[in-house]
Amino acid sequence: MPSESAPPVPSFHENAIPDASRTTGDDPMAALVGILDLQAALPGIRRMRAWGHEVLHVQPGERALDIGAGTGTEVIELAGRVGPDGDAVGVDPNPAMIAIARGRAESADCRARFVEGTAYQLPFPDDYFDAVRCERVYQHLDDPAAATAEITRVLRPGGRVLLIDSDWHTVITHPGDPEVVARLTKAMLATTPNPASGRRLRGLLTAAGFVIDDMGSEAVIWNPETARPLFMQMIASATTGGAITEVEGRDLLAIMEAGIEKGDYHLSVTMFAVLGHLGG
């Protein structure tokens, strides 16, 4: 646990939107939470999460884990499904984010609990959980096979897992000069540890001994409030790295802002989900 003077441990979700807080306010954590809440309200995210809970089919009395719990919304949902005799737990590496999730659970009079941990080191015994979900975490992992092994360890035989992740090779950005947008996208992909995560989920699970039960996808369309911070960060990073010039960056941002103003813009990425159960 870091000391009070140490910088906060990054959340999986902080890594998903690098430096976005700097464009949205003076309080980085409040800005990050605001962005996550806006993302959670996107129709594509809501549809994917609703489908995921349906197929994961968590039942009363079960033990369920959410890896990369963020603000805790999905753990609160799991707690409602497992009921008073079950156990719904969220894991996140950032103690500040855990505090926010705990506060929201308390406000909802919910028995969800939250612990500090990483996808590589889940602080639970072997064969503990009946179900595990993990959303938009694998794209930030440089060793997704190790994280999958940890999920396998904490799941009981026959336990279910639902992995949901983006595949950033599917990102579509409009408007903008196609050649500049291509360089911007290439730069973004180069700085993401596992940008093709979505297409690799099935293979990771089968390699770890899971039987695949279902798969789903959703092209998540970002609205202006969620697209703007990400797009600004992409441009800043690509400019700093030399993938595009400062003039190209300013022009591209101006074009996107003009498109948003008149309703002629688009930013989307496809998310994939894989449901499996542990054989044996």
Side-chain angles (χ1 to χ4, degrees), residues 2-270:
S3 67
E4 290 184 5
S5 59
V9 177
S11 164
F12 293 119
H13 304 279
E14 270 182 276
N15 294 333
I17 317 171
D19 297 332
S21 60
R22 297 180 186 176
T23 69
T24 54
D26 295 330
D27 184 340
M29 184 55 63
L32 173 61
V33 170
I35 291 173
L36 292 178
D37 286 343
L38 287 171
Q39 288 185 1
L42 291 173
I45 298 290
R46 289 191 282 109
R47 284 192 294 267
M48 177 61 84
R49 287 179 170 179
W51 176 86
H53 284 297
E54 178 184 350
V55 298
L56 191 58
H57 199 54
V58 171
Q59 296 293 295
E62 288 191 319
R63 295 170 174 171
L65 172 67
D66 185 36
I67 301 172
T71 62
T73 57
E74 303 313 290
V75 189
I76 292 172
E77 172 70 24
L78 291 172
R81 292 172 179 266
V82 302
D85 297 324
D87 189 19
V89 191
V91 166
D92 199 279
N94 188 337
M97 188 66 77
I98 288 174
I100 289 168
R102 284 174 177 162
R104 291 189 172 189
E106 290 173 5
S107 297
D109 194 24
C110 173
R111 295 177 63 253
R113 61 190 184 96
F114 300 88
V115 298
E116 187 176 339
T118 73
Y120 298 127
Q121 292 182 313
L122 299 172
F124 308 102
D126 297 354
D127 306 331
Y128 185 80
F129 290 101
D130 298 286
V132 173
R133 77 179 296 278
C134 182
E135 178 189 326
R136 288 180 290 169
V137 169
Y138 271 50
Q139 61 190 281
H140 309 298
L141 302 180
D142 54 14
D143 191 355
T148 308
E150 262 297 88
I151 292 174
T152 304
R153 182 186 67 78
V154 301
L155 268 178
R156 65 167 179 78
R160 296 102 62 204
V161 63
L162 178 71
L163 300 183
I164 303 173
D165 223 318
S166 307
D167 191 315
W168 285 98
H169 289 274
T170 68
V171 68
I172 299 173
T173 301
H174 169 80
D177 182 316
E179 195 273 333
V180 176
V181 169
R183 282 189 278 125
L184 176 74
T185 302
K186 184 178 180 179
M188 183 270 293
L189 294 174
T191 59
T192 303
N194 191 15
S197 176
R199 72 188 68 181
R200 294 173 175 162
L201 299 177
R202 179 177 188 139
L204 286 164
L205 289 180
T206 54
F210 285 88
V211 177
I212 304 304
D213 298 310
D214 205 348
M215 297 182 69
S217 66
E218 182 76 36
V220 178
I221 301 169
W222 298 50
N223 60 22
E225 291 77 17
T226 52
R228 186 176 283 108
L230 176 61
F231 195 70
M232 292 176 67
Q233 172 57 27
M234 289 170 61
I235 289 175
S237 179
T239 301
T240 300
I244 63 176
T245 68
E246 291 187 7
V247 172
E248 288 173 329
R250 286 196 299 269
D251 289 347
L252 192 56
L253 183 58
I255 290 169
M256 175 60 80
E257 290 287 0
I260 288 174
E261 181 67 24
K262 62 183 180 181
D264 179 22
Y265 82 98
H266 181 92
L267 180 63
S268 69
V269 63
T270 302

